[in-house]
Amino acid sequence: MGSVFYGWDIGLIGGILSLPSFQAYFGLHNISSSAKANLQGNIVAVLQAGCFFGALFTGYFSGVFGRKPVLLASGVVYIVGSIIQTICGLGMSQTVALRLLYFGRFLGGVGVGMESALVPSYVSESVPRTIRGRCTAMIQFANNVGIMLSFWVNYGSSLNVPYGDMQWRMPFAVQVVPGALFIVLMLFQPESPRWLVEHGKYDRAARSLAFAAGKAIDDPAVQATLAEIQADFAGKPRDSVWKQFRMMGESWTTALRCFIPSLVMFFQQWTGTNAINYYSPEIFAALGISGTTSGLLATGVYGIVKVIAVGLVCTFAVEGMGRKRCLIYGGLGQGVMMLWIGGFQGVHPGNDVVPASYVSIVAVYLYAVFYCVGWGPVPWVVAGEVAPNHVRTAALAVAVAVNWLFAFTIGKITPIMLNSIKYGTFLLFGMLCLIMAAWAYFLLPETTGYALEDIKYLFEKDLVLRSVQDAPGGKVFLGRRRALSVQESRVQATESESKKDGDVSSEDGSSAKDEKEPVVAEVV
């Protein structure tokens, strides 16, 4: 539900900006095209600015107070921001109304940023590993449900609400509903078991794990998972988020695992998906769909396509196909569709409809499908899994802040690019999608099916070799060369630790065996 209101806020503004009543109320209808593009960019991007700051500081508060209280606070902030957006302009001048709209969108963005920074880690920390990828991918599914619903609310408002203030106020008011539902439903959810273990609350952690797995507290699987988490935190002091930021560079492997979540979030924004989410009515108009209502209808269909596609991916592909293949195939498909759209607009710059216009409209919908196959849901899965356990809060806070920073950038520059370089906008996004697919092929190992505590072994040695080995057709190129399996890496790490223990014990005169046996018994 948090991701539903996240998506709702993203999808809502593009349709509202296209409503003639909104443009007349805020004076967008009588300014130049460049000034209009700049003002639209400001209205869209101020939400992402709030999201950036909300995401950036969430890690600290969630580390101190827990995931659940901060998530509840994010819903409250979002609702207050939504109410301010709804009432802006009542009894005030146009200038003051615009400033209040900016403030309401910024405040709502703070709530959305808090939610988006915390939900991936909350989900990945709380659910059983066998369904972790699917559950984390549900974040993107819920996000697309929110986007789709906001598209259809805009369409319904354009079609059924008479011209006037209520035509654009009503969509702002309706977005309070998912925020309120989120708060009510979140009250019944448990705290993150890993946060509870980190703070020494083992009984509550066991109850949380049992709740998520649908098992009894004394079930062997629940107790085994609890023991794994305890072992992972054993001997490590409880670190503040600020100390976690410093620890992100403690080793090459840790730094790499902390960098990848930010990188995939950066990539996700530069696929160009939010350019379509924010400005889809304008894009469909450029492809020949004229009229505000017709553009909003086409946008609503686009939302339905995304929901169906990401639902199918969550059900069948994330665990079955794997994270890596989803990113590769999704990036290639998105790149081809964007290049087609840009090429069509370059060859046919007019708005009149020709047969190729219909192909381009289909390409927009196929782009949505490929986005939902790969770079929509999967970056959230990868970010939640790859980040090291002991610095996950800080790493994901940075990653989501990066996501929102570049969402702000895209929201601001997209109308300017559409006004200035036109079809070059889509060619740029298309080439970047192909680059992302190449990165996933050569530099990202497959993480499907591994416990969070074992993923570190994927990055310690032979990263490129392992990545190509896991890629489609990679074994053909590698011949007989293979990276060490996780099991082999774990054995080597255990032997290395045993050797260190033996060296330490020999210095004080006792044997390694004498020192190790009680430790093993304690862990068992």
Side-chain angles (χ1 to χ4, degrees):
M1 284 307 305
S3 292
V4 167
F5 77 66
Y6 165 14
W8 197 296
D9 227 6
I10 288 176
L12 186 78
I13 195 62
I16 290 178
L17 288 173
S18 70
L19 292 174
S21 58
F22 181 86
Q23 296 187 14
Y25 194 90
F26 288 96
L28 273 70
H29 63 303
N30 56 7
I31 58 178
S32 66
S33 60
S34 59
K36 180 179 178 181
N38 185 59
L39 184 56
Q40 286 180 325
N42 291 338
I43 293 172
V44 170
V46 72
L47 174 83
Q48 280 71 46
C51 292
F52 171 78
F53 288 104
L56 190 61
F57 296 105
T58 297
Y60 170 76
F61 292 110
S62 67
V64 174
F65 300 107
R67 316 307 194 218
K68 182 176 177 178
V70 177
L71 284 171
L72 290 170
S74 72
V76 173
V77 174
Y78 168 81
I79 288 176
V80 173
S82 299
I83 293 173
I84 293 174
Q85 293 172 66
T86 304
I87 65 173
C88 69
L90 295 177
M92 61 190 71
S93 66
Q94 184 184 94
T95 302
V96 176
L98 185 60
R99 291 173 183 171
L100 192 60
L101 177 63
Y102 284 153
F103 176 73
R105 284 188 58 74
F106 179 86
L107 189 62
V110 171
V112 172
M114 292 169 65
E115 177 276 332
S116 65
L118 198 48
V119 163
S121 60
Y122 175 78
V123 172
S124 63
E125 290 175 355
S126 300
V127 302
R129 77 183 66 166
T130 53
I131 58 169
R132 187 179 63 231
R134 187 174 297 132
C135 290
T136 311
M138 285 293 292
I139 295 170
Q140 187 64 30
F141 176 77
N143 178 266
N144 281 287
V145 169
I147 292 173
M148 178 197 69
L149 292 174
S150 71
F151 286 165
W152 285 104
V153 167
N154 287 337
Y155 174 69
S157 182
S158 172
L159 191 65
N160 299 310
V161 179
Y163 180 90
D165 293 358
M166 283 305 299
Q167 191 178 55
W168 60 266
R169 290 189 193 278
M170 189 273 288
F172 278 136
V174 174
Q175 71 177 346
V176 173
V177 175
L181 286 174
F182 168 73
I183 291 175
V184 171
L185 295 172
M186 193 65 212
L187 291 172
F188 300 97
Q189 297 304 305
E191 181 56 83
S192 160
R194 282 176 173 80
W195 184 88
L196 293 169
V197 168
E198 187 179 6
H199 289 73
K201 301 177 181 180
Y202 303 124
D203 291 340
R204 286 183 60 193
R207 289 197 297 270
S208 181
L209 288 169
F211 176 86
K215 300 179 183 293
I217 294 177
D218 58 355
D219 186 275
V222 171
Q223 292 299 316
T225 304
L226 181 62
E228 284 182 4
I229 299 172
Q230 288 176 295
D232 190 56
F233 282 107
K236 298 177 182 176
R238 193 175 73 204
D239 300 311
S240 68
V241 175
W242 304 119
K243 187 174 181 180
Q244 287 185 34
F245 282 121
R246 296 195 299 271
M247 293 170 61
M248 286 165 63
E250 65 187 4
S251 68
W252 182 88
T253 302
T254 300
L256 177 63
R257 293 176 64 196
C258 291
F259 173 70
I260 287 177
S262 296
L263 183 63
V264 294
M265 292 302 175
F266 168 84
F267 280 157
Q268 186 188 61
Q269 288 302 320
W270 284 99
T271 60
T273 181
N274 277 337
I276 297 180
N277 289 337
Y278 298 142
Y279 304 105
S280 50
E282 293 184 19
I283 292 171
F284 282 116
L287 297 177
I289 298 180
S290 59
T292 301
T293 303
S294 298
L296 291 175
L297 176 62
T299 301
V301 175
Y302 174 80
I304 291 176
V305 170
K306 289 185 73 173
V307 168
I308 294 174
V310 79
L312 293 174
V313 170
C314 291
T315 304
F316 300 109
V318 171
E319 300 293 353
M321 189 187 298
R323 291 42 155 171
K324 185 180 180 76
R325 280 176 167 78
C326 286
L327 292 176
I328 294 171
Y329 299 148
L332 291 174
Q334 283 181 265
V336 171
M337 295 304 109
M338 275 291 192
L339 292 176
W340 168 270
I341 295 169
F344 167 75
Q345 288 199 340
V347 173
H348 186 77
N351 290 348
D352 54 311
V353 179
V354 298
S357 300
Y358 299 108
V359 179
S360 297
I361 293 170
V362 172
V364 174
Y365 293 138
L366 288 177
Y367 169 87
V369 172
F370 284 114
Y371 173 75
C372 295
V373 166
W375 289 95
V378 179
W380 297 101
V381 181
V382 172
E385 292 179 340
V386 170
N389 283 348
H390 64 295
V391 294
R392 176 174 288 111
T393 300
L396 289 184
V398 173
V400 178
V402 167
N403 185 279
W404 283 118
L405 175 63
F406 286 97
F408 169 84
T409 304
I410 295 296
K412 174 62 179 173
I413 69 174
T414 294
I416 299 172
M417 290 196 298
L418 291 173
N419 185 61
S420 302
I421 63 174
K422 303 186 187 310
Y423 67 89
T425 306
F426 303 101
L427 297 180
L428 171 65
F429 288 138
M431 292 303 300
L432 289 172
C433 288
L434 298 181
I435 291 172
M436 296 170 203
W439 173 82
Y441 192 98
F442 292 104
L443 295 173
L444 180 69
E446 181 59 73
T447 59
T448 303
Y450 295 107
L452 292 178
E453 290 71 28
D454 285 340
I455 287 177
K456 61 184 178 183
Y457 299 116
L458 301 176
F459 294 89
E460 289 184 342
K461 293 181 181 179
D462 304 322
L463 176 63
V464 176
L465 180 63
R466 188 186 304 277
S467 300
V468 176
Q469 174 183 313
D470 292 342
K475 294 180 181 179
V476 176
F477 299 117
L478 295 177
R480 295 183 178 180
R481 289 181 298 168
R482 294 290 183 272
L484 287 177
S485 68
V486 167
Q487 291 78 7
E488 292 171 326
S489 298
R490 192 189 301 116
V491 170
Q492 284 190 359
T494 303
E495 291 175 350
S496 177
E497 288 296 325
S498 300
K499 195 172 183 180
K500 289 180 182 178
D501 291 342
D503 293 340
V504 171
S505 62
S506 63
E507 290 177 4
D508 61 12
S510 57
S511 69
K513 182 178 179 181
D514 291 338
E515 294 292 335
K516 287 170 61 182
E517 282 181 351
V519 176
V520 172
E522 183 180 350
V523 171
V524 172

